[in-house]
């Protein structure tokens, strides 16, 4: 939900501009592009602490399901942070920028779709286990 909301509302981009004045100014990347992953690091840190605390007392099946979804979130972060930084770091031709931006946006969207489909699949499997069909 956070990823979809951020994708639609461009929250991390707005955050990046808001904190740009506190980011290093002498690097070959604009300061707001350093602030953007900072928001994801904060969100990710809170999320990982919550995940670790909840998984500590869980049974193995929910742990595995949670880790599958966590892997999707991690893969989304690769596109959303690392590929995004590649897009804005250093000189690029317009064609290179377009290709890299397509990979970034497509990767983010693809991982969000995969995470959604995985969540639905987990729900269906667990619902079937809780309410087995009677013959």
């Amino acid at each position: 939900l956070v990823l979809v909301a951020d994708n639609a509302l461009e929250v991390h981009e707005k955050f990046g501009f808001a904190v740009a004045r506190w980011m290093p100014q002498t690097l070959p990347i604009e300061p707001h592009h350093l602030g953007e992953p900072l928001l994801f690091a904060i969100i990710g840190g809170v999320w990982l602490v919550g995940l670790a605390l909840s998984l500590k007392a869980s049974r193995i099946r929910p742990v595995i399901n949670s880790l599958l979804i966590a892997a999707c979130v991690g893969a989304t972060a690769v596109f959303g942070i690392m590929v995004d930084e590649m897009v804005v770091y250093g000189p690029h031709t317009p064609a290179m920028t377009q290709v890299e931006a397509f990979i970034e946006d497509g990767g983010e969207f693809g991982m969000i779709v995969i995470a959604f489909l995985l969540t639905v699949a987990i729900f269906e499997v667990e619902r079937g286990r809780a309410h087995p069909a009677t013959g």
Side-chain angles (χ1 to χ4, degrees):
L1 186 60
V2 169
L3 294 172
V4 173
D6 177 72
N7 209 31
L9 303 174
E10 298 181 338
V11 175
H12 75 277
E13 287 91 348
K14 293 172 184 169
F15 180 85
F17 281 108
V19 300
R21 64 179 161 257
W22 296 298
M23 297 291 115
Q25 306 291 316
T26 59
L27 298 175
I29 187 169
E30 292 92 357
H32 69 274
H33 287 298
L34 297 172
E36 292 174 8
L38 177 63
L39 178 63
F40 283 124
I42 293 167
I43 292 170
V46 170
W47 179 69
L48 285 175
V49 167
L51 181 64
L53 291 174
S54 68
L55 295 181
K56 195 167 75 168
S58 294
R59 291 171 288 143
I60 191 68
R61 190 172 188 90
V63 168
I64 291 170
N65 291 340
S66 296
L67 293 177
L68 288 170
I69 294 170
C72 290
V73 173
T76 304
V78 168
F79 289 104
I81 296 172
M82 292 183 167
V83 177
D84 181 55
E85 296 303 317
M86 288 171 46
V87 171
V88 298
Y89 185 82
H92 295 284
T93 66
M96 287 173 57
T97 301
Q98 290 298 317
V99 169
E100 291 171 337
F102 176 79
I103 292 169
E104 175 198 351
D105 292 339
E108 287 175 0
F109 182 72
M111 289 312 305
I112 289 170
V113 169
I114 290 170
F116 172 77
L117 294 174
L118 182 60
T119 302
V120 171
I122 290 169
F123 176 79
E124 287 296 319
V125 167
E126 295 303 322
R127 184 172 68 169
R129 287 174 47 86
H131 306 288
T134 57

